[in-house]
Amino acid sequence: MRLSLTESALKKLKTVVLQEGQLPRIDADVAGGCGMTVAFSLVFDEERRNDFILELNGIRIRMDRFTQRYIGEEIQIDFTEEKGFLVADAFSSSACSIDIV
Amino acid sequence: MVEYNELIFEISRSGRIGSSLPESDVPKVNLQNKLPDHLIRTELAELPEVSELQLVRHYTALSNKNHGIDNGFYPLGSCTMKYNPKINEDVARLEGFSRIHPYQPVETVQGALKLLHELQEDLAEITGMDAVTLQPSAGAQGEWAGLMMVKAYHKQKGEKRTKVLVPDSAHGTNPASATVAGFRTVTIPSNGDGLVDLEELKKHVDDDTAALMLTNPNTLGLFEKEIIEIAKVVHGAGGLLYYDGANANAILGKTTPGKMGFDIVHLNLHKTFTTPHGGGGPGAGPVGVKKKLIPYLPVPRIEKQNDQYFLNDNQPLSIGRVKGYYGNFGILVRAYTYIRTMGPVGLRQVSESAVLHANYLRKKLEPYFDSPFSQVCKHEFVLSGSRQKKLGVRTLDMAKRLLDFGCHPPTIYFPLNVEECLMIEPTETESKETIDAFAEVMIQIAKEVEGNPDIVLDAPHTTTIGRLDEVQAARKPVVRHSKEKTEEGKAESVKS
């Protein structure tokens, strides 16, 4: 898995003040119903039992096993003032039963 | 042992046949003299060539891999996967119903028309509406037809309203139906009790509001207690109130959408009225309306005059025909059979038992899962897997683990306003023993998450196929079968 941070994301992450025990996390958000959509976000929260840590440019980022299962091989984290942190992998596709964005 | 796990195309062998036809006793016809060139095949269709026995084993094996209500527990919230009584099938197969033709003159199908007319009246009584169309062939098409009537109603009044309000706890199809019908959807958030936030609703209701689409009880299994006030707000601005009947199983014989103030109702016969969940097959989504919307109902309408049933096309304001012939007649026969088998007392008992079962199961599971709206529910309830998420296990993992116990998972990750949601609807047709067994399985899984999470994270273990690579399936779907064959004549697996 290759993780990259855009310049704006790195700059922002370096300035974020974290509470004790918190780290940035790439997290899979699932939305269901008749189909299923998996999207990824960057949140700041506490450790989960099966987390592993990615480290890049001095920034430590958590991910749980579920997220690892669904995320692609190449992940980029961006930051904009309007939308906050954006997590995307190199792939995007759609199918009727599961839609990974 | 041969397990018949291959595709039907993969067991195909050139020249093998399933049945022999007798010599033709009519003269051969030269197709080139009868059809234009572009309609004549230049090579044979790639059809599988198998024996009858191979065919039977293949499809029997395939059917055994499926899960249905006849196989096991199926608590899919909002989908109402209740038992479909076999008497429905017996009646639908009666020759008088199964061997008539939609092109027959109406005087020769009076019995069928009588059944349809009575079903319309039954559904009107059950929903508190003034008239019903049976034409729409699915719940979603019923929604669309209902919204087209909304549009026609406003147009007739000289208004062009563009907005349809949909609470975030509504049936999931509503926003899509509103969009397809040409409206703009506005989502109304729930309040802390899981009900429509009345103040938020008031902020969005205006003279551009065509309708509010509401599911009551909503997909959290909670009854909208402020429904009379909600109706007042929407009607006060000239909008209409649309009832999504996805959860009608909870109110049968207890109340009606008509009493709540709704103007339009669609019903999913495959949910409340025990017709088969078609998986894309024939369905029916009847729509009921109040008097003011009758002129806009689809045509032809099935009507009765002087003890004769006939089709009435004379409705100038109608939105038109939305389905061929009489709708999916066989499905309508099944629903009629169910209603007549149960009777008014039986239908009332359905909703009472459905609500009792849901609350019984809710109380058993609440100590083990987060319960964001811990209150008496209707026919279904939601739990949250937030507690398990902190331990690194997601709702989807637990849903996969349920497969190991022969249970279909509940609806998951819907409604969207509940984190790691499990929406559970046990239905009235399940026994106490089955509900207890399901509760025990869920409790076991909750304990596994704490003590042995890997068994949940790697589930399912006992199914024919284990945990699928859903990412690969979504990103590189293989949906086409190659027609190339190996040297043994066996078809190659799909590569594209």
Side-chain angles (χ1 to χ4, degrees), chain B residues 394-437:
Chain B
R394 298 292 190 92
T395 287
L396 183 59
D397 298 315
M398 295 189 282
K400 300 280 187 194
R401 179 67 175 137
L402 275 169
L403 302 177
D404 285 334
F405 299 92
C407 296
H408 194 287
T411 297
I412 54 173
Y413 297 103
F414 194 88
L416 304 177
N417 56 346
V418 175
E419 186 190 38
E420 297 290 318
C421 187
L422 292 135
M423 194 206 321
I424 303 173
E425 181 180 5
T427 84
E428 77 283 2
T429 57
E430 297 295 340
S431 66
K432 180 175 178 296
E433 291 77 16
T434 300
I435 295 172
D436 284 339

CSV table of all heavy atoms in Angstrom, one decimal, chain B residues 394-437:
chain,number,residue,atom,x,y,z
B,394,ARG,N,-16.5,-4.6,12.4
B,394,ARG,CA,-17.6,-3.8,11.8
B,394,ARG,C,-18.9,-4.6,11.7
B,394,ARG,O,-18.9,-5.9,11.7
B,394,ARG,CB,-17.2,-3.3,10.5
B,394,ARG,CG,-15.9,-2.4,10.5
B,394,ARG,CD,-16.2,-1.1,11.2
B,394,ARG,NE,-15.1,-0.1,11.0
B,394,ARG,CZ,-15.1,0.8,10.0
B,394,ARG,NH1,-16.1,0.9,9.1
B,394,ARG,NH2,-14.0,1.6,9.9
B,395,THR,N,-19.9,-3.9,11.5
B,395,THR,CA,-21.2,-4.5,11.3
B,395,THR,C,-21.2,-5.5,10.1
B,395,THR,O,-21.8,-6.6,10.1
B,395,THR,CB,-22.3,-3.4,11.1
B,395,THR,OG1,-22.5,-2.8,12.3
B,395,THR,CG2,-23.6,-4.0,10.5
B,396,LEU,N,-20.5,-5.1,9.0
B,396,LEU,CA,-20.4,-6.0,7.9
B,396,LEU,C,-19.8,-7.3,8.2
B,396,LEU,O,-20.2,-8.4,7.7
B,396,LEU,CB,-19.7,-5.3,6.7
B,396,LEU,CG,-19.6,-6.1,5.4
B,396,LEU,CD1,-21.0,-6.4,4.9
B,396,LEU,CD2,-18.8,-5.3,4.4
B,397,ASP,N,-18.7,-7.3,9.1
B,397,ASP,CA,-18.1,-8.5,9.5
B,397,ASP,C,-19.1,-9.4,10.3
B,397,ASP,O,-19.1,-10.6,10.1
B,397,ASP,CB,-16.9,-8.2,10.4
B,397,ASP,CG,-15.8,-7.4,9.8
B,397,ASP,OD1,-15.5,-7.7,8.6
B,397,ASP,OD2,-15.3,-6.4,10.4
B,398,MET,N,-19.9,-8.8,11.2
B,398,MET,CA,-20.9,-9.5,11.9
B,398,MET,C,-21.9,-10.1,11.0
B,398,MET,O,-22.4,-11.2,11.2
B,398,MET,CB,-21.5,-8.7,13.0
B,398,MET,CG,-20.4,-8.3,14.1
B,398,MET,SD,-21.2,-7.5,15.5
B,398,MET,CE,-21.5,-5.8,14.9
B,399,ALA,N,-22.3,-9.3,10.0
B,399,ALA,CA,-23.3,-9.8,9.0
B,399,ALA,C,-22.8,-11.1,8.3
B,399,ALA,O,-23.5,-12.0,8.1
B,399,ALA,CB,-23.6,-8.7,8.0
B,400,LYS,N,-21.5,-11.0,8.0
B,400,LYS,CA,-20.9,-12.2,7.3
B,400,LYS,C,-20.9,-13.4,8.2
B,400,LYS,O,-21.1,-14.5,7.8
B,400,LYS,CB,-19.5,-11.9,6.8
B,400,LYS,CG,-19.3,-10.7,5.9
B,400,LYS,CD,-19.7,-11.1,4.5
B,400,LYS,CE,-19.4,-10.0,3.5
B,400,LYS,NZ,-20.0,-10.2,2.2
B,401,ARG,N,-20.6,-13.1,9.5
B,401,ARG,CA,-20.6,-14.2,10.5
B,401,ARG,C,-21.9,-14.9,10.7
B,401,ARG,O,-22.0,-16.1,10.9
B,401,ARG,CB,-20.1,-13.7,11.8
B,401,ARG,CG,-20.0,-14.7,13.0
B,401,ARG,CD,-18.9,-15.7,12.7
B,401,ARG,NE,-18.7,-16.6,13.9
B,401,ARG,CZ,-18.6,-18.0,13.8
B,401,ARG,NH1,-18.5,-18.6,12.6
B,401,ARG,NH2,-18.5,-18.7,14.8
B,402,LEU,N,-23.0,-14.1,10.5
B,402,LEU,CA,-24.3,-14.7,10.6
B,402,LEU,C,-24.6,-15.8,9.6
B,402,LEU,O,-25.3,-16.8,9.9
B,402,LEU,CB,-25.4,-13.6,10.5
B,402,LEU,CG,-25.8,-12.8,11.7
B,402,LEU,CD1,-26.6,-11.6,11.3
B,402,LEU,CD2,-26.5,-13.7,12.7
B,403,LEU,N,-23.9,-15.7,8.5
B,403,LEU,CA,-24.1,-16.7,7.4
B,403,LEU,C,-23.7,-18.1,7.9
B,403,LEU,O,-24.2,-19.1,7.5
B,403,LEU,CB,-23.3,-16.3,6.2
B,403,LEU,CG,-23.7,-15.0,5.5
B,403,LEU,CD1,-22.8,-14.7,4.3
B,403,LEU,CD2,-25.1,-14.9,5.1
B,404,ASP,N,-22.7,-18.1,8.8
B,404,ASP,CA,-22.2,-19.4,9.3
B,404,ASP,C,-23.3,-20.1,10.1
B,404,ASP,O,-23.2,-21.3,10.3
B,404,ASP,CB,-21.0,-19.2,10.2
B,404,ASP,CG,-19.7,-18.9,9.4
B,404,ASP,OD1,-19.7,-19.3,8.2
B,404,ASP,OD2,-18.8,-18.2,9.9
B,405,PHE,N,-24.3,-19.4,10.5
B,405,PHE,CA,-25.3,-20.0,11.4
B,405,PHE,C,-26.6,-20.2,10.6
B,405,PHE,O,-27.7,-20.4,11.1
B,405,PHE,CB,-25.6,-19.2,12.6
B,405,PHE,CG,-24.4,-19.0,13.5
B,405,PHE,CD1,-23.5,-18.0,13.3
B,405,PHE,CD2,-24.1,-20.0,14.4
B,405,PHE,CE1,-22.4,-17.9,14.1
B,405,PHE,CE2,-23.0,-19.9,15.3
B,405,PHE,CZ,-22.1,-18.8,15.1
B,406,GLY,N,-26.5,-20.0,9.2
B,406,GLY,CA,-27.7,-20.2,8.4
B,406,GLY,C,-28.7,-19.1,8.5
B,406,GLY,O,-29.9,-19.3,8.1
B,407,CYS,N,-28.3,-17.9,9.0
B,407,CYS,CA,-29.2,-16.8,9.1
B,407,CYS,C,-28.9,-15.8,8.0
B,407,CYS,O,-27.7,-15.5,7.7
B,407,CYS,CB,-29.1,-16.0,10.4
B,407,CYS,SG,-29.5,-17.0,11.8
B,408,HIS,N,-29.9,-15.2,7.3
B,408,HIS,CA,-29.6,-14.1,6.4
B,408,HIS,C,-29.4,-12.9,7.3
B,408,HIS,O,-30.1,-12.7,8.3
B,408,HIS,CB,-30.8,-13.9,5.5
B,408,HIS,CG,-30.4,-12.9,4.4
B,408,HIS,ND1,-30.3,-11.6,4.6
B,408,HIS,CD2,-30.2,-13.2,3.1
B,408,HIS,CE1,-30.0,-11.0,3.4
B,408,HIS,NE2,-29.9,-12.0,2.5
B,409,PRO,N,-28.4,-12.1,7.0
B,409,PRO,CA,-28.1,-10.9,7.9
B,409,PRO,C,-29.3,-9.9,7.8
B,409,PRO,O,-30.1,-9.9,6.8
B,409,PRO,CB,-26.9,-10.2,7.3
B,409,PRO,CG,-26.3,-11.3,6.4
B,409,PRO,CD,-27.4,-12.2,6.0
B,410,PRO,N,-29.5,-9.1,8.8
B,410,PRO,CA,-30.4,-8.0,8.8
B,410,PRO,C,-30.0,-7.0,7.7
B,410,PRO,O,-28.9,-7.1,7.2
B,410,PRO,CB,-30.3,-7.3,10.1
B,410,PRO,CG,-29.5,-8.2,11.0
B,410,PRO,CD,-28.7,-9.1,10.1
B,411,THR,N,-30.8,-6.0,7.4
B,411,THR,CA,-30.4,-4.9,6.6
B,411,THR,C,-29.3,-4.1,7.4
B,411,THR,O,-29.4,-3.9,8.6
B,411,THR,CB,-31.6,-3.9,6.4
B,411,THR,OG1,-32.5,-4.6,5.6
B,411,THR,CG2,-31.1,-2.7,5.6
B,412,ILE,N,-28.2,-3.8,6.7
B,412,ILE,CA,-27.1,-3.2,7.4
B,412,ILE,C,-26.8,-1.8,6.7
B,412,ILE,O,-27.0,-1.6,5.6
B,412,ILE,CB,-25.8,-4.1,7.4
B,412,ILE,CG1,-25.4,-4.5,6.0
B,412,ILE,CG2,-26.0,-5.2,8.3
B,412,ILE,CD1,-24.1,-5.2,6.0
B,413,TYR,N,-26.2,-1.0,7.6
B,413,TYR,CA,-25.8,0.4,7.1
B,413,TYR,C,-26.9,1.2,6.6
B,413,TYR,O,-26.7,2.1,5.7
B,413,TYR,CB,-24.6,0.3,6.1
B,413,TYR,CG,-23.4,-0.3,6.8
B,413,TYR,CD1,-23.0,-1.6,6.5
B,413,TYR,CD2,-22.6,0.4,7.7
B,413,TYR,CE1,-21.9,-2.2,7.1
B,413,TYR,CE2,-21.5,-0.1,8.2
B,413,TYR,CZ,-21.1,-1.5,7.9
B,413,TYR,OH,-20.0,-2.0,8.5
B,414,PHE,N,-28.1,0.9,7.0
B,414,PHE,CA,-29.3,1.7,6.6
B,414,PHE,C,-30.3,1.6,7.7
B,414,PHE,O,-30.6,0.5,8.2
B,414,PHE,CB,-29.9,1.2,5.3
B,414,PHE,CG,-30.9,2.2,4.7
B,414,PHE,CD1,-30.4,3.3,3.9
B,414,PHE,CD2,-32.2,2.2,5.1
B,414,PHE,CE1,-31.3,4.2,3.4
B,414,PHE,CE2,-33.1,3.1,4.6
B,414,PHE,CZ,-32.6,4.1,3.8
B,415,PRO,N,-31.0,2.7,8.2
B,415,PRO,CA,-30.8,4.1,7.7
B,415,PRO,C,-29.5,4.7,8.0
B,415,PRO,O,-28.8,4.2,8.9
B,415,PRO,CB,-32.0,4.8,8.4
B,415,PRO,CG,-32.3,4.0,9.6
B,415,PRO,CD,-32.0,2.6,9.2
B,416,LEU,N,-29.2,5.7,7.2
B,416,LEU,CA,-27.8,6.3,7.2
B,416,LEU,C,-27.5,7.1,8.5
B,416,LEU,O,-26.4,7.4,8.8
B,416,LEU,CB,-27.6,7.2,6.0
B,416,LEU,CG,-27.8,6.5,4.6
B,416,LEU,CD1,-27.7,7.5,3.5
B,416,LEU,CD2,-26.9,5.3,4.4
B,417,ASN,N,-28.6,7.4,9.2
B,417,ASN,CA,-28.4,8.3,10.4
B,417,ASN,C,-28.0,7.4,11.6
B,417,ASN,O,-27.9,8.0,12.7
B,417,ASN,CB,-29.6,9.1,10.7
B,417,ASN,CG,-30.9,8.3,10.9
B,417,ASN,OD1,-30.9,7.2,10.5
B,417,ASN,ND2,-31.9,8.9,11.4
B,418,VAL,N,-27.7,6.1,11.5
B,418,VAL,CA,-27.3,5.3,12.6
B,418,VAL,C,-25.9,4.7,12.2
B,418,VAL,O,-25.8,4.0,11.2
B,418,VAL,CB,-28.3,4.2,12.9
B,418,VAL,CG1,-27.8,3.2,14.0
B,418,VAL,CG2,-29.6,4.8,13.3
B,419,GLU,N,-24.9,4.9,13.0
B,419,GLU,CA,-23.6,4.4,12.7
B,419,GLU,C,-23.6,2.9,12.8
B,419,GLU,O,-24.2,2.3,13.7
B,419,GLU,CB,-22.6,5.0,13.8
B,419,GLU,CG,-21.1,4.6,13.4
B,419,GLU,CD,-20.1,4.9,14.5
B,419,GLU,OE1,-20.5,4.8,15.7
B,419,GLU,OE2,-19.0,5.3,14.2
B,420,GLU,N,-22.9,2.2,11.8
B,420,GLU,CA,-22.8,0.8,11.8
B,420,GLU,C,-24.1,0.1,12.1
B,420,GLU,O,-24.3,-0.8,12.9
B,420,GLU,CB,-21.7,0.3,12.9
B,420,GLU,CG,-20.3,0.9,12.6
B,420,GLU,CD,-19.7,0.2,11.4
B,420,GLU,OE1,-19.8,-1.0,11.2
B,420,GLU,OE2,-19.1,1.0,10.6
B,421,CYS,N,-25.1,0.5,11.4
B,421,CYS,CA,-26.5,0.2,11.6
B,421,CYS,C,-26.9,-1.3,11.3
B,421,CYS,O,-26.4,-1.9,10.3
B,421,CYS,CB,-27.5,1.1,10.9
B,421,CYS,SG,-29.2,0.9,11.2
B,422,LEU,N,-27.7,-1.9,12.2
B,422,LEU,CA,-28.3,-3.2,11.9
B,422,LEU,C,-29.8,-3.0,12.0
B,422,LEU,O,-30.3,-2.6,13.1
B,422,LEU,CB,-27.9,-4.2,12.9
B,422,LEU,CG,-26.4,-4.7,13.0
B,422,LEU,CD1,-25.9,-4.7,14.4
B,422,LEU,CD2,-26.3,-6.1,12.4
B,423,MET,N,-30.6,-3.2,10.9
B,423,MET,CA,-32.0,-3.0,11.0
B,423,MET,C,-32.7,-4.3,10.9
B,423,MET,O,-32.6,-5.1,9.9
B,423,MET,CB,-32.4,-2.1,9.8
B,423,MET,CG,-33.8,-1.6,10.0
B,423,MET,SD,-34.7,-1.2,8.5
B,423,MET,CE,-33.6,-0.5,7.4
B,424,ILE,N,-33.3,-4.7,12.0
B,424,ILE,CA,-33.8,-6.1,12.2
B,424,ILE,C,-35.3,-6.2,12.2
B,424,ILE,O,-36.0,-5.5,13.0
B,424,ILE,CB,-33.2,-6.6,13.5
B,424,ILE,CG1,-31.7,-6.6,13.5
B,424,ILE,CG2,-33.7,-8.1,13.7
B,424,ILE,CD1,-31.0,-6.9,14.8
B,425,GLU,N,-35.9,-7.0,11.3
B,425,GLU,CA,-37.3,-7.2,11.3
B,425,GLU,C,-37.6,-8.7,11.3
B,425,GLU,O,-37.5,-9.4,10.3
B,425,GLU,CB,-37.8,-6.6,9.9
B,425,GLU,CG,-39.3,-6.7,9.8
B,425,GLU,CD,-39.9,-6.1,8.5
B,425,GLU,OE1,-39.1,-5.7,7.7
B,425,GLU,OE2,-41.1,-6.1,8.4
B,426,PRO,N,-38.0,-9.2,12.4
B,426,PRO,CA,-38.2,-10.7,12.5
B,426,PRO,C,-39.5,-11.2,11.8
B,426,PRO,O,-39.5,-12.3,11.5
B,426,PRO,CB,-38.2,-10.9,14.0
B,426,PRO,CG,-38.6,-9.6,14.6
B,426,PRO,CD,-38.1,-8.6,13.7
B,427,THR,N,-40.4,-10.3,11.7
B,427,THR,CA,-41.8,-10.6,11.1
B,427,THR,C,-42.6,-11.5,12.0
B,427,THR,O,-42.1,-12.2,12.9
B,427,THR,CB,-41.8,-11.3,9.7
B,427,THR,OG1,-41.6,-12.7,9.8
B,427,THR,CG2,-40.8,-10.6,8.8
B,428,GLU,N,-43.9,-11.5,11.7
B,428,GLU,CA,-44.8,-12.3,12.6
B,428,GLU,C,-44.8,-13.7,12.3
B,428,GLU,O,-45.4,-14.5,13.1
B,428,GLU,CB,-46.3,-11.7,12.4
B,428,GLU,CG,-47.0,-12.1,11.1
B,428,GLU,CD,-46.5,-11.4,9.8
B,428,GLU,OE1,-45.6,-10.5,9.9
B,428,GLU,OE2,-47.0,-11.6,8.7
B,429,THR,N,-44.2,-14.2,11.2
B,429,THR,CA,-44.4,-15.6,10.8
B,429,THR,C,-43.3,-16.5,11.5
B,429,THR,O,-43.4,-17.7,11.3
B,429,THR,CB,-44.4,-15.8,9.3
B,429,THR,OG1,-43.2,-15.3,8.8
B,429,THR,CG2,-45.5,-15.1,8.6
B,430,GLU,N,-42.4,-15.9,12.2
B,430,GLU,CA,-41.4,-16.7,12.8
B,430,GLU,C,-41.8,-17.2,14.2
B,430,GLU,O,-42.5,-16.5,14.9
B,430,GLU,CB,-40.1,-15.9,13.0
B,430,GLU,CG,-39.5,-15.5,11.6
B,430,GLU,CD,-39.0,-16.7,10.8
B,430,GLU,OE1,-38.8,-17.8,11.3
B,430,GLU,OE2,-38.9,-16.6,9.6
B,431,SER,N,-41.4,-18.4,14.6
B,431,SER,CA,-41.7,-18.9,15.9
B,431,SER,C,-40.8,-18.3,17.0
B,431,SER,O,-39.7,-17.8,16.7
B,431,SER,CB,-41.5,-20.5,15.9
B,431,SER,OG,-40.1,-20.8,15.7
B,432,LYS,N,-41.2,-18.5,18.2
B,432,LYS,CA,-40.4,-18.0,19.4
B,432,LYS,C,-39.1,-18.7,19.4
B,432,LYS,O,-38.0,-18.1,19.6
B,432,LYS,CB,-41.2,-18.3,20.7
B,432,LYS,CG,-40.4,-17.8,21.9
B,432,LYS,CD,-41.2,-18.0,23.2
B,432,LYS,CE,-40.5,-17.5,24.4
B,432,LYS,NZ,-39.3,-18.4,24.7
B,433,GLU,N,-39.1,-20.0,19.0
B,433,GLU,CA,-37.9,-20.8,19.0
B,433,GLU,C,-36.8,-20.2,18.0
B,433,GLU,O,-35.7,-20.1,18.3
B,433,GLU,CB,-38.1,-22.3,18.7
B,433,GLU,CG,-38.9,-23.1,19.7
B,433,GLU,CD,-40.4,-22.7,19.7
B,433,GLU,OE1,-40.9,-22.2,18.8
B,433,GLU,OE2,-41.0,-23.1,20.8
B,434,THR,N,-37.3,-19.9,16.8
B,434,THR,CA,-36.4,-19.3,15.8
B,434,THR,C,-35.9,-18.0,16.3
B,434,THR,O,-34.7,-17.7,16.1
B,434,THR,CB,-37.2,-19.1,14.5
B,434,THR,OG1,-37.6,-20.4,14.0
B,434,THR,CG2,-36.3,-18.6,13.4
B,435,ILE,N,-36.8,-17.1,16.8
B,435,ILE,CA,-36.3,-15.8,17.3
B,435,ILE,C,-35.3,-16.0,18.4
B,435,ILE,O,-34.3,-15.3,18.5
B,435,ILE,CB,-37.5,-14.9,17.7
B,435,ILE,CG1,-38.4,-14.7,16.5
B,435,ILE,CG2,-37.1,-13.6,18.3
B,435,ILE,CD1,-39.7,-14.0,16.8
B,436,ASP,N,-35.6,-16.9,19.3
B,436,ASP,CA,-34.6,-17.2,20.4
B,436,ASP,C,-33.3,-17.7,19.9
B,436,ASP,O,-32.2,-17.2,20.3
B,436,ASP,CB,-35.2,-18.3,21.4
B,436,ASP,CG,-36.3,-17.7,22.3
B,436,ASP,OD1,-36.3,-16.5,22.5
B,436,ASP,OD2,-37.1,-18.5,22.8
B,437,ALA,N,-33.3,-18.5,18.9
B,437,ALA,CA,-32.1,-19.1,18.3
B,437,ALA,C,-31.3,-18.0,17.6
B,437,ALA,O,-30.1,-17.9,17.8
B,437,ALA,CB,-32.4,-20.2,17.3
